[in-house]
Amino acid sequence: PNVPVATQYNNFMSSVDLSTQDLIPVIDIEEKGRKPSKQICDSLDKFSSMVLAQWGTLPIIYTHQRFYNYLLQRSFDNHILWIARYGAYKFKLTPSLEDKRQCTIWQYSNRGIVEGIEGYVDLNTLYEDTKITDIMLKRRFKKESARVE
């Protein structure tokens, strides 16, 4: 929350090869630091606008259930949501968003075990009837001054 939006966006763009991306970009927002809630939402909106201008789509918002309910609900209705809510997958206790939205992706654990990977990994599932094509990037973003399709 303490890094300017333009700096974060430039860092993001310097780390990503636009021509190789398959999924819609994701912004991870999980804390607000000492910033006022409105300032955090304004910064997220500005970053989203920058992604939209470059990529032709709004980013997916990744956050945990509590942070969404506390700060983001009713503010980013046009964004796809990726919500972290752990420890409940086997009981089907899906994320509970106070504004009654449904997430598209549910991260249900950060303690998964995958053969060949040392340490824990995050475990995610597409929510209900979501298909992978629902979160795939449409090839209509700007690259330098050229248009990539």
Side-chain angles (χ1 to χ4, degrees):
N2 299 321
V3 177
V5 173
T7 303
Q8 292 187 53
Y9 186 76
N10 290 335
N11 179 57
F12 173 73
M13 290 302 293
S14 70
S15 303
V16 177
D17 177 356
L18 297 172
S19 67
T20 64
Q21 299 308 300
D22 291 323
L23 300 179
I24 295 171
V26 179
I27 182 168
D28 180 336
I29 182 163
E30 301 181 61
E31 59 183 71
K32 70 183 219 75
R34 294 186 173 167
K35 302 281 186 187
S37 297
K38 182 177 179 350
Q39 189 174 356
I40 295 297
C41 288
D42 289 348
S43 293
L44 179 56
D45 189 53
K46 184 176 180 182
F47 190 95
S48 293
S49 294
M50 295 167 89
V51 169
L52 179 61
Q54 182 71 36
W55 296 65
T57 188
L58 291 168
I60 295 171
I61 294 177
Y62 170 87
T63 193
H64 56 83
Q65 175 183 288
R66 202 169 324 132
F67 190 85
Y68 177 83
N69 285 335
Y70 165 69
L71 191 79
L72 302 179
Q73 66 171 311
R74 296 184 186 90
S75 296
F76 296 93
D77 293 345
N78 294 332
H79 290 71
I80 292 172
L81 298 177
W82 183 350
I83 300 293
R85 181 172 189 219
Y86 303 147
Y89 186 70
K90 61 184 167 187
F91 301 110
K92 300 290 184 197
L93 299 175
T94 58
S96 178
L97 305 181
E98 291 176 6
D99 60 2
K100 306 300 180 205
R101 283 191 65 194
Q102 287 187 341
C103 61
T104 298
I105 308 166
W106 171 23
Q107 184 177 334
Y108 59 89
S109 176
N110 63 347
R111 303 253 182 225
I113 308 268
V114 174
E115 188 176 332
I117 298 177
E118 189 175 325
Y120 293 121
V121 298
D122 296 339
L123 299 175
N124 299 275
T125 187
L126 295 174
Y127 193 75
E128 293 191 352
D129 295 330
T130 303
K131 298 175 187 68
I132 194 72
T133 54
D134 296 333
I135 59 170
M136 291 194 67
L137 182 64
K138 312 299 187 269
R139 296 284 181 199
R140 293 195 173 114
F141 47 80
K142 301 173 190 173
K143 184 174 182 182
E144 308 286 321
S145 60
R147 184 178 170 119
V148 178
E149 293 273 300

